[in-house]
Amino acid sequence: MHGRAGEEEEEVLSVDGDWSIRPCARFYSMEGEILRLPEIVEIKKKYKCYLYVDEAHSIGALGKSGRGVCEYWGVNPADVDVLMGTFTKSFAAVGGYVAGSKVHFQ
């Protein structure tokens, strides 16, 4: 993993002023790194922020049945506000998806 333990939380706390969309963690899946999702979900719950996970490189590749980083770590997908991914990598198809609660897409 790049960075040190707790770095993700420091980045969430570094927001100045109004709420904004900020990357709170940088992971390089092309180098074989896997998002420490349980830690990120804890931070999300602690600070009541939203969590958006890009599964472009994990869907179809991680988890017992290929369902991605949530399955890999045993995290409930409902703990992630928005999941997105692409069908072009693991599935050799066209398209992608953005998934989440209806409240986030109105």
Side-chain angles (χ1 to χ4, degrees):
M1 299 277 172
H2 285 271
R4 59 192 174 0
E7 187 173 76
E8 295 87 0
E9 186 168 7
E10 288 175 16
E11 290 189 39
V12 168
L13 295 176
S14 71
V15 175
D16 294 324
D18 295 330
W19 287 99
S20 61
I21 297 174
R22 297 176 49 92
C24 65
R26 294 175 297 270
F27 299 91
Y28 305 94
S29 60
M30 300 295 281
E31 296 174 7
E33 295 188 29
I34 301 171
L35 170 73
R36 295 180 299 233
L37 190 57
E39 294 174 29
I40 302 296
V41 168
E42 281 183 36
I43 294 167
K44 171 208 179 228
K45 290 178 177 181
K46 181 177 180 179
Y47 295 102
K48 298 180 174 115
C49 47
Y50 293 106
L51 178 57
Y52 181 111
V53 175
D54 180 343
E55 291 215 277
H57 294 115
S58 64
I59 196 71
L62 284 180
K64 186 176 180 179
S65 62
R67 292 184 179 169
V69 72
C70 289
E71 183 181 55
Y72 177 84
W73 287 110
V75 168
N76 185 342
D79 287 334
V80 177
D81 299 291
V82 179
L83 285 164
M84 65 82 52
T86 177
F87 298 147
T88 59
K89 292 173 176 53
S90 294
F91 304 118
V94 176
Y97 64 93
V98 178
S101 171
K102 185 177 179 180
V103 71
H104 297 300
F105 296 99
Q106 290 189 13

